[in-house]
Structures are given as C-alpha cells and as structure tokens.
Amino acid sequence: MSQLNNFTKGFIRENPVFVLLLGMCPTLGVTTSAVNGLGMGLATTFVLVLSNLVISLVANLIPDKVRIPGFIVIIASFVTMVDMSMAAYLPSLHESLGLFIPLIVVNCIVLGRAESFASKNKAISSIIDGLGMGLGFAFALTLLGGTRELLGSGKLFNMEIFNEGYGMLIFVLAPGAFLVLGYLIAIINKLRKA
Amino acid sequence: MEYIIIIISAIFVNNIVLSQFLGICPFLGVSKKVSTAVGMTGAVTFVMVLATIVTYLIQKFVLDPAGIGFMQTITFILIIAALVQMVEIILKKVSPSLYQALGVFLPLITTNCAVLGVAIMVIQKNYNLMESVVFSGATALGFGLALIIFAGLREHLDLVKIPKGMQGTPIALITAGLLAMAFMGFAGIV
Amino acid sequence: MAKKLESTFKNMVLVLFTVTLIASSAVGVVYELTKTPIEQAKQNKKLKAIKDVVPAFDNNPDADKYTVDLNGETLELYPAKQNGQLVGTAIKTFTTKGFSGKFWIMVGIKPDGTINNYSVLEHKETPGLGSKMGEWFKGKGKQSIINKNPLNTKFIVSKDGGDIDAITAATISSRAFLDAIQKASNAYNKDLK
C-alpha cells in the first residue's frame, strides 16, 4: 500500500472511531469541548507514533508468548512520559483531561495498531500508520467535541458563536456524548455507502 | 455510613459506564444478550476487586515508600494483565462453557478502561483499603447493572424494524444515551 | 522479515525484564526532567487562585500561610501583604453540603472582615444550575456577597430568613456555597480574637 494511502486511511476509510469503533472511552469521556477533543487526540497520536516506531523496531526481539505484556510496557512508558510532560507544560489541559491521560494505555487503538500493524511492518510504515490513525482519531474527537460544545454551550474552541442561553445543556453532559456519536456514525455510514 | 454513600454513588449516581464513560468497549461489545452480559459482569467484578486490592497494596507498600509514583501506570497495567491471564486459566478449568461464551472478550478485560480507571481512582480519592474494596465492588455492580439493562434493551431492539443507516452501532449508542439520561435522575441522592 | 526470537522460558523472562528495565529508566529520566516544572505549575495555579481574590500584594502568601482549626475541620489561610501591611487574606474553604458533594472555594477577605472576591475551585455541581455560583454571588444587589461582612450580614439564603438571594432553582448549591463562605469567615475571625 502506498504511503499516502497508508496515511489517509486513518481519516475516513478506516477511521478508528467512526469505522473501527475503537477507543470509545476517551471519545465519549473527554469530548465536552473541541479543545479537549483535540488535545486528547494529539496526546494519543504522540503515544501511537512513538510506540508504533519502537515496536516495529523490536518486534522480532520479543518472544511471541510475551508480546502483549511487552507491548503494554512499551506503550505504558510512553503514556507516562506524555502524562508528566503535559502536567509540566500544559497544566490546564492536563487537568481537563484528567484520568483519561493514563487511560491512553488501554486505548484499544494503540495496542490494536501495535499488534496488527507495527509488529509486522517496517519502521517508516509504522510511523505513518500511527500518524494517520492518530490524526484520524484526533479528527473524530475534535468533530465530536466541537459539535457537543456548539450545541451545548454556543461556543467553539472557547469562542462564543451564539448566546449560551440557547444551548442545550444535555449535549455537554453524559447522554449527549452517546447521542451525538450515535448520530455522527449514522451520518458517516450513510456517506460511506453513497 | 460512609460505605452506603460510596455504594449508592458508585452504582447509581456516578455509574462507571453511563456517567464516567469507562468500560464502553465491553458495554457496546458484550451487551447483545443478557446471559453473556451476566457472565461478563461476574468476570469483571472478580478482576476489578482483585486488581484494586493488589494495585492498592503495591502503591502503598512499594511505589509510595520508594518514591517511584511515576511507575504507577506501568505497574498497574502489568498487574491487571497478569490477573486476567490467571482468570482465563481458572475459568477454562472451572467453567469451560462460560469461557467459550465470553470468547475474545475475556482477554479484553485487560484493556477495559474501567478496571485500570478504578485502580487509579481509589488512589486519587485517598480511600483506605476497605473503602477501596467497597468502591471497586460497587463500581463493578454498577457496570453490571448498566450492561444487563442495556443487553435487555438490545434484545428488544433486535425484534424491531430500524432504519438502515441507524442499524447496529448508531441505534445502540442512542439507546445508551437515553439510558444515561435516565440515570441522571439519580443525581442528588447523595 | 527476520526470524522471531523463540519463546523459551529463558528468553521470555530475559526480554520482559530488559524491556521493563529500559522502559522504567526512560520514564525515570523524563520524571526527573519534569519534576520541577510540575511543581512550578502547581505553585502557579495556587498563586493565581490567591491573586484572583485578594488585592495586590508583594509577599508570598503561600509561604506565610497558617491554619485554623474549626470543630475538627482545618482551613488554610494565606495572608497577602503590601509593604508589610495586611491587605487581605485568601482562605481555601469548603463545604460538604453541595448538591453533588464536597466542593472548594478560594475566598478573599479584607482586613476588616468584608468579602473582597471569591473563586470556585473544584466542584461537581449541576452545570447550568449550581455551577452558576461561579458568577452569581458577584452580581448585583441582594445576590452579591462582595463587600458584605458576615459579621453584620446574615450569610444565609433569603428563603431561610437570610440576607443573600439564592441562585434560581439551585437552592441547595447556594446554601452550600454560603456555608463555605461562613466557615471561612469564622476561621478568619476566630484567629483575630
């Protein structure tokens, strides 16, 4: 598969959230605003690219029976590094994302890509796969976050689009996450069939 | 009675799936039949409570005293992975039919954000060991409650005509949203 | 593709051990690098919360902080001084009577006991209702607590016979909010006596 194809598949054709239905927990949990969605998406991309790279390089040195624990340790270390860096340099985003940052380690996307792609491909392809999937994830989260933020509070990226009084609060609360994602997937399913 | 508050809050008010968004993957994946949902709940409860106890002890007796709190993510997830392996082996021997029914979802308990999430939460909330056990047990029950109710709803959905674009995941998510809305009614009990 | 390493017991243990060792060391390095900035970020957050509620100061209120014990509950007070003179005290207070449990407020009290300003810290009150307390009590007239003194004004909701108007449809959050402010005032004045 050409590298361009490799990169773009993460956005629509094999979008981890809308098509593969992976990484649901952070998708629903942090998308109360566009900024949170984007921040989480980028943090996950960072971990995804680094772990894909390392795993593609060392996959042959890890015996098959212990590959899952081995991959998990590698992923967990990158997650911890991202967690600490964000606490140091992006404290308010770190606070908004909270528990979901360490939970990147159990994001099925990261382990999934490591297992199904990175362990079987070369470094460059793995990096690009990680980048494409990660940014596709970030795209989905920003879209979801932005929709919820706009419908719920009239703002987008913290800028007021219309008066907060017209917003429907339910969208920034738990049920709203399920509802918006459900409708987004339905719409995207329709578009894909067209 | 602090424990009653912890229990009611964990099961209803701050339900792990419907308001904290942890454990969504199994929630959407294993909830097609009530019987599998019940089996999954049992497995998750066992792993969640055991994992919470072990990670709690490791945190208090190894990580904190040695000042290596930053190793939390790595150690916790390794402990959970090991426990799930153990459960798999035990289940295979004790109840092969349940083992078959759960299929690929059993190893997936490792990546169940709810298990790791709860382990981290009890440290953040500064619970003592007893409170942590109660919290993790109640959370697992809340997970089970949401899962079983949802499975029941989906069994009914299977019997109804649904527009093509909405079939499968979209209608499941919207149903989950309505269920989440219903659970919002519990806010303010504690 | 090169051959995979065999899954012998020795290999498995060795590889897992090495991977964990390298991973832990890498994480340890990043930990050392980020330790100071993280502390700094926490300090800045605290200082900003204090700065938001008291008049301008030139000391380090966190360094001069003291605690007051009220019926088993301990509050932290941060005195803000300009040229050695006390211009206000920031108090980190809390209430357990919130609609959704405990929440924290940083309130700034002037030397004479009147409320200078406040800032709601962590809370889980209902968005759109109780969460309005972030701005409500800085409003106009009877709903405001700014420049009022709990020593001569009743910091209780009007519904209960007090002098402060509660947030519409969020009485419980309002009661809890005032409870926290009253607690702060009690702590401040207890120390003065």
Side-chain angles (χ1 to χ4, degrees):
Chain A
M1 139 178 313
S2 75
Q3 291 299 18
L4 187 60
N5 243 343
N6 192 5
F7 178 68
T8 56
K9 70 176 190 264
F11 280 89
I12 299 287
R13 262 172 303 119
E14 283 182 44
N15 185 292
V17 174
F18 296 131
V19 178
L20 303 179
L21 300 176
L22 295 175
M24 288 279 120
C25 293
T27 305
L28 294 165
V30 305
T31 47
T32 44
S33 73
V35 172
N36 283 354
L38 187 60
M40 180 54 129
L42 292 179
T44 311
T45 306
F46 195 69
V47 173
L48 196 48
V49 172
L50 286 176
S51 63
N52 262 16
L53 172 61
V54 172
I55 288 176
S56 75
L57 291 175
V58 302
N60 286 324
L61 296 174
I62 303 183
D64 205 59
K65 289 230 172 91
V66 291
R67 72 181 193 289
I68 298 292
F71 292 172
I72 289 183
V73 171
I74 295 174
I75 297 173
S77 2
F78 285 125
V79 170
T80 312
M81 290 190 228
V82 168
D83 189 17
M84 294 193 283
S85 312
M86 284 179 82
Y89 303 114
L90 298 167
S92 49
L93 185 62
H94 182 262
E95 209 179 320
S96 315
L97 298 182
L99 189 59
F100 285 98
I101 300 179
L103 287 181
I104 296 178
V105 73
V106 288
N107 186 325
C108 327
I109 300 176
V110 185
L111 192 58
R113 288 332 277 176
E115 163 79 353
S116 63
F117 196 92
S119 60
K120 303 183 179 128
N121 282 280
K122 295 229 178 89
I124 303 283
S125 298
S126 300
I127 295 180
I128 298 187
D129 172 83
L131 209 54
M133 283 285 165
L135 291 178
F137 181 65
F139 164 64
L141 257 60
T142 314
L143 184 61
L144 188 57
T147 311
R148 287 177 69 194
E149 190 186 358
L150 193 59
L151 291 175
S153 64
K155 296 199 206 133
L156 194 60
F157 287 104
N158 267 323
M159 297 178 302
E160 187 166 308
I161 308 284
F162 55 79
N163 190 293
E164 188 161 356
Y166 293 113
M168 290 170 276
L169 206 49
I170 197 81
F171 286 108
V172 287
L173 297 176
F178 288 109
L179 294 173
V180 177
L181 185 59
Y183 279 109
L184 276 178
I185 294 184
I187 294 175
I188 293 197
N189 277 346
K190 208 74 207 271
L191 288 175
R192 281 172 64 220
K193 291 209 174 106
Chain B
M1 269 250 77
E2 266 296 314
Y3 292 123
I4 303 276
I5 295 185
I6 294 181
I7 294 175
I8 302 214
S9 166
I11 299 182
F12 298 108
V13 183
N14 291 315
N15 184 286
I16 190 88
V17 180
L18 298 172
S19 76
Q20 306 221 47
F21 296 117
L22 299 179
I24 301 285
C25 292
F27 180 68
L28 291 177
V30 186
S31 54
K32 296 228 174 87
K33 287 182 84 172
V34 175
S35 48
T36 1
V38 174
M40 180 56 137
T41 306
V44 168
T45 309
F46 186 71
V47 175
M48 194 178 275
V49 176
L50 207 53
T52 306
I53 296 178
V54 178
T55 53
Y56 181 89
L57 294 173
I58 298 281
Q59 176 84 27
K60 297 293 170 186
F61 293 113
V62 179
L63 297 183
D64 283 346
I68 44 170
F70 59 83
M71 288 296 290
Q72 189 185 66
T73 310
I74 300 182
T75 25
F76 279 23
I77 191 66
L78 281 179
I79 292 174
I80 294 173
L83 279 173
V84 173
Q85 272 290 93
M86 231 179 66
V87 171
E88 260 188 273
I89 296 175
I90 296 179
L91 208 56
K92 218 171 177 180
K93 285 235 168 88
V94 169
S95 172
S97 51
L98 185 56
Y99 178 80
Q100 285 288 53
L102 289 176
V104 69
F105 289 108
L106 195 47
L108 282 183
I109 296 182
T110 314
T111 51
N112 183 333
C113 357
V115 180
L116 180 60
V118 168
I120 298 181
M121 271 197 264
V122 296
I123 306 291
Q124 283 181 350
K125 288 184 195 255
N126 254 326
Y127 283 156
N128 61 35
L129 186 54
M130 200 60 228
E131 286 168 336
S132 303
V133 173
V134 171
F135 179 71
S136 58
T139 301
L141 285 182
F143 173 74
L145 183 66
L147 198 61
I148 294 172
I149 295 181
F150 196 54
L153 290 171
R154 286 187 92 177
E155 277 189 1
H156 273 261
L157 276 179
D158 274 343
L159 307 169
V160 181
K161 207 157 177 261
I162 297 176
K164 211 118 175 259
M166 293 288 256
Q167 275 170 11
T169 316
I171 196 67
L173 283 170
I174 297 188
T175 311
L178 295 173
L179 191 54
M181 251 191 258
F183 267 69
M184 272 181 78
F186 288 120
I189 289 188
V190 281
Chain C
M1 277 256 90
K3 267 284 276 286
K4 254 205 158 124
L5 204 61
E6 255 186 79
S7 288
T8 66
F9 188 71
K10 176 185 115 197
N11 278 347
M12 293 198 284
V13 170
L14 207 62
V15 169
L16 266 187
F17 184 70
T18 319
V19 170
T20 312
L21 197 63
I22 299 179
S24 323
S25 323
V27 172
V29 166
V30 177
Y31 173 70
E32 286 298 319
L33 288 176
T34 54
K35 211 164 41 165
T36 338
I38 291 182
E39 256 320 298
Q40 194 62 34
K42 279 201 203 143
Q43 275 290 60
N44 287 346
K45 186 172 160 213
K46 212 182 209 179
L47 238 60
K48 173 164 190 309
I50 295 174
K51 232 190 248 186
D52 283 342
V53 301
V54 291
F57 53 86
D58 57 17
N59 71 327
N60 182 346
D62 193 32
D64 296 336
K65 78 166 185 245
Y66 60 98
T67 57
V68 171
D69 195 52
L70 274 182
N71 307 327
E73 295 175 330
T74 314
L75 294 188
E76 286 180 344
L77 290 83
Y78 308 92
K81 303 188 181 130
Q82 181 87 290
N83 298 324
Q85 287 277 72
L86 186 74
V87 290
T89 311
I91 304 176
K92 194 165 167 217
T93 179
F94 65 92
T95 174
T96 50
K97 305 186 183 145
F99 188 68
S100 301
K102 194 174 188 181
F103 61 84
W104 296 82
I105 307 178
M106 184 73 89
V107 58
I109 297 191
K110 291 204 254 235
D112 63 357
T114 43
I115 307 293
N116 184 55
N117 205 347
Y118 71 85
S119 159
V120 179
L121 303 174
E122 291 170 52
H123 79 90
K124 286 180 297 205
E125 301 301 272
T126 320
L129 290 174
S131 65
K132 281 199 181 139
M133 60 185 170
E135 293 304 317
W136 178 271
F137 296 102
K138 299 182 194 175
K140 296 199 184 48
K142 238 183 147 194
Q143 71 188 54
S144 168
I145 61 168
I146 308 295
N147 288 329
K148 294 191 184 151
N149 195 331
L151 289 173
N152 53 33
T153 320
K154 281 195 273 210
F155 270 45
I156 302 180
V157 298
S158 334
K159 217 179 270 193
D160 299 340
D163 296 327
I164 311 285
D165 278 346
I167 304 172
T168 322
T171 319
I172 298 181
S173 300
S174 308
R175 281 197 189 110
F177 177 85
L178 292 176
D179 170 60
I181 304 288
Q182 185 67 51
K183 201 187 303 228
S185 174
N186 292 346
Y188 180 71
N189 291 305
K190 174 178 183 204
D191 182 68
L192 284 186
K193 283 182 203 127

